Amino acid sequence: MSDSRLAQAAHSSFARHETFTPRFGWLNKAYTQAKEDPGVFIAADAPVRLGVGKNMVAAIRYWSRAFKLTKETYGDETQSRALLSYPTWEAHWLLDEQGADPYLEETGSLWLLHWWLISSRPGALSWAPSWYVAFHLAPFSRFTTDDLKRLIVQHVNLSYREGPAEGSILKDIDCISKMYALPTQHAKNGAPGTFEDLLLCPFRELDLLEQVGTRGKPEWQFTRGSRTSLPPRVLAYACLDYAARVTHRSGSISLARLANEPGSPGRAFRVREPDIASALERVIGSHPQLQITEAVGQRSLSFSTDPFELAWDVLDTQYGNIRSREGFPTRAEWYHRHPKLAEAERRELKDRTAGEAQLQLLVEENA
């Protein structure tokens, strides 16, 4: 039977980062410019306005979309087939000058962006399928480039009617390793920009990946252990956000699912069930809608209201209650100001429905 989890969780999107990892200042720049002009990334003077090279313009555009900070859809001109980029409410909440952390000075914000990168929900699927496979679907914790390539190819063949060239997958794997692994004495392999990328990419601070193995045959390993830089409220937000995939009512979800299921915070952050329990216990004291319950030897996170809204209550508290500030728009108000965002979400849902139909045909053909 086909394993269609990748198609259900991620768009078919490979190597659109132009081999560049996300760099300091890029996401703030993307939000600021796209807020003023949704067509900034396709403008002839985009390199001048963004202060980067042409290839980096494409990379900034990709990363802002992949981190769910922009959505893309067509403009108002009926003849135009160019996709414009519209900042999401999440981008405004995080990166506005009066937002939570416009310059990403807190490591917790990097953990949050990492979650947004590889999390998925209807209308907001992941745009980083290689990342999704590596963190959520890989059965191994230590791997070579060939190991991860074979696994991604396997899921691509089972999930998408048309897959990318093998070279695009290899570029993704190289980008994953440069994005998360700290520099080592063997990291500089002579490729242009490799060491520079490791120095400039802020996500290496998360220490999620480390290079192991010998020179000439690099291997990488996901790290484990206590995530001291991961704020409990950010982890609790991710747990509730994950629970909201299946319900917008009161309910519960087992800590085992939160730790081990594909798509879960446990896999995304590489944390175990006891670490999740510890973080949640530190949060529930100030949020009476949350409770940890135990039945038949299984611990669960119970919530008495919509977990999506509760997730944002928890996260907003971490950053000083941004949503309570005078003049800060609600999500509905932001969508009213930017109707193209709702159109972009409808387009994603439509594309997903079409993709699922294609996937069913592919399954039938394979059968």
Side-chain angles (χ1 to χ4, degrees), residues 54-112:
K54 186 176 181 181
N55 286 353
M56 286 187 179
V57 171
I60 294 174
R61 178 182 181 178
Y62 167 74
W63 286 118
S64 65
R65 190 183 199 186
F67 284 118
K68 299 182 176 65
L69 300 174
T70 59
K71 286 183 178 291
E72 296 188 358
T73 192
Y74 300 111
D76 293 323
E77 297 180 16
T78 56
Q79 301 300 317
S80 172
R81 302 302 295 169
L83 288 169
L84 305 183
S85 302
Y86 297 88
T88 62
W89 180 86
E90 287 82 356
H92 182 70
W93 175 87
L94 179 65
L95 297 174
D96 192 74
E97 193 64 35
Q98 302 303 316
D101 189 9
Y103 302 105
L104 303 179
E105 296 172 300
E106 298 186 24
T107 306
S109 302
L110 300 178
W111 285 109
L112 177 63

Side-chain angles (χ1 to χ4, degrees), residues 172-317:
D172 276 355
I173 295 171
D174 181 58
C175 193
I176 290 170
S177 66
K178 290 192 296 185
M179 182 170 172
Y180 295 106
L182 288 165
T184 70
Q185 58 180 339
H186 302 310
K188 191 173 183 180
N189 60 13
T194 298
F195 193 64
E196 180 186 19
D197 283 341
L198 283 167
L199 289 174
L200 293 177
C201 182
F203 290 88
R204 76 189 195 282
E205 294 179 24
L206 305 186
D207 193 26
L208 280 164
L209 202 63
E210 61 183 354
Q211 185 172 333
V212 294
T214 59
R215 185 193 299 268
K217 190 181 179 182
E219 294 181 62
W220 290 271
Q221 179 173 284
F222 289 110
T223 60
R224 284 282 188 179
S226 178
R227 302 293 186 195
T228 56
S229 66
L230 174 58
R233 291 186 184 279
V234 173
L235 179 51
Y237 160 83
C239 290
L240 290 162
D241 189 45
Y242 184 65
R245 269 47 172 186
V246 294
T247 183
H248 280 274
R249 300 178 179 179
S250 61
S252 65
I253 185 171
S254 72
L255 299 193
R257 289 182 61 191
L258 291 172
N260 300 308
E261 277 190 348
S264 69
R267 286 183 176 248
F269 299 141
R270 296 287 153 165
V271 292
R272 298 183 175 91
E273 185 176 333
D275 299 309
I276 293 175
S278 177
L280 292 174
E281 286 168 353
R282 295 171 63 181
V283 171
I284 59 177
S286 54
H287 293 276
Q289 307 96 324
L290 290 174
Q291 189 177 3
I292 293 181
T293 58
E294 185 167 350
V296 198
Q298 176 175 272
R299 304 183 78 189
S300 297
L301 171 65
S302 299
F303 36 90
S304 60
T305 187
D306 180 352
F308 183 79
E309 294 301 327
L310 185 52
W312 275 97
D313 289 342
V314 170
L315 184 63
D316 206 37
T317 303

